[in-house]
Amino acid sequence: MKSTLLLAWRYVSYHWLRSGILACCIALVTFLPFAVEILVAHYQETLTKRASTTPLLVGAKGSRFDLLMSSLYFKGKTKDLITAKECASIATPDLCTTIPLYVRHSAKGYPVVGTSLEYFGFRNLQLAAGTLPLKLGDATIGSRVAADLKLSPGDYVISDTERLYDLAASYPLRMRIAGILEQSGTADDRGVFVDTKTAWIISGIGHGHQDIESNPDWVLDKGDGHVAGNAAVVEYNEITEATLESFHFHGGTDDFPLTAMVVLPRNQKSFTIVKARLTSSKTVQPLLPEEGIEELLDFVFQAKKFFDANLILVTAATCLFIALVVLLTVRVRQREIETLIKIGASRIMIVRLLTVELLIVVVVGVIFAAGLAALASFVAIRQGLLF
Amino acid sequence: MSPATGETTDTAVDVENLLFRYPGNEYELAIPRLRIATHRKAAIIGPSGSGKTTLLHLLAGILAPDAGRITVAGTVLGDVPDSRRRRLRMERIGLVFQEFELLEHLSVRENILLPFMLAPSLGKVDEAHFSMLTKRTGIDRYLNRRPRRLSQGERQRVAICRALVTQPALILADEPTGNLDPKTTAEILDTMIGEVERHDATLVMVTHDHSLIERFDEVIDFAEFRVSSHAPESETP
């Protein structure tokens, strides 16, 4: 066998261009299945892992997938919102802890996640530098955001303008980077985390401006208990020590919008009670992330089945192509084969030799494809093409 | 006496009442009797297409006759299976071709040792013999080269070494000097005859060159045999 391998290797390496082209053909055909397998496995693992550590989500009635993707992976937006008040009567403190989530805005393309400090403990997120967003206007960013935007504590990030030509829209908010999170390999690496109040200020629910009454020219209307300013009043787009006092909200924070609430029941009994209450609610819906992800993965695997069917056809076509190449090669090498037979090689030996040559090319092609797929998947995952 | 054949072992080649036809061809080769004693050098001459190469292939067991008996090195080829004939060819017969038939993807060394690579039954290479053989034929300097980087004469020397490396009892050479100039022809013939004599082997060589026949112990003229029409041009199966 050693001699056969040596003879086969000598032939393959001598005709390196021919062998290389054939190996590349095989690599191109096998690359995609490898890449898809790796990415689907990663996709499945990442989705499932995050979902399984989130016991229960509460969001507005509507698309379950929107709620799931928005709350767990900060992708997309939910159409409808809920208020803390809606959940308060159901998810009571004696049964569970709730963590608010408000994901509506972005900063430099990265999602701004309005939440409470409990979120960082719940996700087991560690600080690499700085602090959590303890003050209004502070942002603690994920490792990926920090690396991509080259930000460090003390720098600033500005929320994205969403409605450029809407004069009534709120101004982008300049947020101070309070800290950077350690890499977690999850969607949190791409988040700009702020307090929910900061997120509401970005939405224009809360704001800060010059003291209207300090300049009579700024007063548009003055009534019983309220003063309305005109367009000359400067609205602050940064929360500093000097401007902090001026920021305020109109209305109670319990009525302000949230994307979702993460519900952490105290025990199984609490979980069952809370879930039952939520299920009977007319305005909110409970969502078990693990179940939601299973449904989502069913869609993914359905789509993959079509891909696999196509792959069978491509593989069959490639096998026929390789068979043609082998047949032509045998014809071209007829004289060499006759020489080997004259010297004393058996036909089995010749078949074995040609098979080993083909195997070498196939193995090289497959290894090349697997390496390429691993590299491409690594880049795709690192570039956050999935999350 | 050989138990398989009853022939005396001082006969290297014994052909009796040989009849061979190529399928679908009118060609017919008939040799009533042909004997070549061991350690002899026999030249086969005859017109093109008279069946000289066919005879070599029959002697090597590559082709099988339609009738008659061929005994080579004490073995009756028709009495043994193909695997045994192949083994005999590997172990007891050395073949030299007009076109050298070297494999371009192998080095000179690997080309010479090709029989050992194809047949593990040959055992380990006798390195001392290999070294001596390549040195005497003057190709020891080119062992790591590819055949295409050698001259015609050097290539034929490599082919001769490949035929002799297994120390066979019989060398079958099919016009080994057919493509060479007179000077190289003389050198190659010297090399081959010299090596055959050193190995105490028997040489059967097909040639068109009548000036060479005086170097041989016997000459077999194919004009003596019945050939009903010309063999296929390549004279190969």
Side-chain angles (χ1 to χ4, degrees), chain B residues 62-209:
Chain B
I62 297 167
L63 293 175
D66 295 305
R69 197 165 84 141
I70 301 171
T71 309
V72 173
T75 302
V76 180
L77 298 184
D79 290 352
V80 294
D82 185 54
S83 58
R84 178 91 184 272
R85 282 202 295 275
R86 206 168 50 239
R87 195 169 166 184
L88 177 80
R89 194 153 73 238
M90 282 275 197
E91 295 173 358
R92 309 296 306 276
I93 300 172
L95 288 157
V96 184
F97 309 99
Q98 183 177 358
E99 300 290 343
F100 325 130
E101 309 289 351
L102 301 176
L103 303 188
E104 287 301 324
H105 56 274
L106 300 181
S107 66
V108 166
R109 180 187 168 85
E110 288 162 343
N111 263 291
I112 295 170
L113 296 177
L114 189 60
F116 287 93
M117 291 177 170
L118 296 173
S121 62
L122 288 173
K124 282 197 170 183
V125 179
D126 183 343
E127 286 292 342
H129 175 246
F130 171 81
S131 178
M132 195 173 61
L133 188 63
T134 52
K135 202 167 185 178
R136 276 204 306 259
T137 49
I139 54 163
D140 54 330
R141 290 166 292 164
Y142 314 125
L143 291 179
N144 293 320
R145 281 196 191 174
R146 302 275 179 200
R148 67 187 157 88
R149 293 185 60 203
L150 302 180
S151 68
Q152 299 279 83
E154 286 164 344
R155 286 190 200 192
Q156 196 56 292
R157 285 195 182 96
V158 175
I160 291 168
C161 284
R162 183 178 64 189
L164 290 166
V165 75
T166 55
Q167 304 185 54
L170 175 65
I171 307 289
L172 301 174
D174 189 3
E175 295 193 63
T177 58
N179 285 338
L180 306 177
D181 59 74
K183 185 171 174 279
T184 313
T185 295
E187 285 173 8
I188 288 297
L189 200 63
D190 284 346
T191 303
M192 193 155 66
I193 289 176
E195 288 305 317
V196 165
E197 284 172 351
R198 278 190 195 92
H199 283 83
D200 265 351
T202 306
L203 173 66
V204 179
M205 182 174 128
V206 169
T207 182
H208 273 110
D209 191 345

Side-chain angles (χ1 to χ4, degrees), chain A residues 3-4 6-7 10-11 14-15 333 335-336 338-347 349 353 357, chain B residues 57 62 86 89-90 95 97 99 101 103-106 110 114-118 146 148 162 236-237:
Chain A
S3 302
T4 311
L6 177 70
L7 285 173
R10 285 281 187 267
Y11 182 83
Y14 183 75
H15 298 285
R333 296 171 66 186
R335 187 162 177 173
E336 177 195 328
E338 276 174 12
T339 301
L340 293 175
I341 289 171
K342 281 180 194 170
I343 289 173
S346 64
R347 293 199 182 274
M349 171 75 186
L353 188 60
E357 284 173 12
Chain B
H57 287 166
I62 297 167
R86 206 168 50 239
R89 194 153 73 238
M90 282 275 197
L95 288 157
F97 309 99
E99 300 290 343
E101 309 289 351
L103 303 188
E104 287 301 324
H105 56 274
L106 300 181
E110 288 162 343
L114 189 60
F116 287 93
M117 291 177 170
L118 296 173
R146 302 275 179 200
R148 67 187 157 88
R162 183 178 64 189
T236 53

Side-chain angles (χ1 to χ4, degrees), chain B residues 4-22:
Chain B
T5 62
E7 296 292 330
T8 53
T9 48
D10 60 0
T11 304
V13 172
D14 191 1
V15 176
E16 283 179 277
N17 302 319
L18 175 78
L19 186 67
F20 176 80
R21 296 184 192 91
Y22 281 110

Side-chain angles (χ1 to χ4, degrees), chain A residues 202-244:
Chain A
I202 297 171
S203 285
I205 297 166
H207 60 170
H209 50 74
Q210 289 171 315
D211 180 9
I212 299 168
E213 289 182 280
S214 67
N215 187 340
D217 291 343
W218 293 344
V219 178
L220 184 68
D221 182 38
K222 192 168 183 179
D224 188 23
H226 87 276
V227 180
N230 59 28
V233 179
V234 173
E235 198 168 313
Y236 300 127
N237 69 343
E238 184 181 344
I239 303 166
T240 62
E241 293 294 330
T243 63
L244 179 64

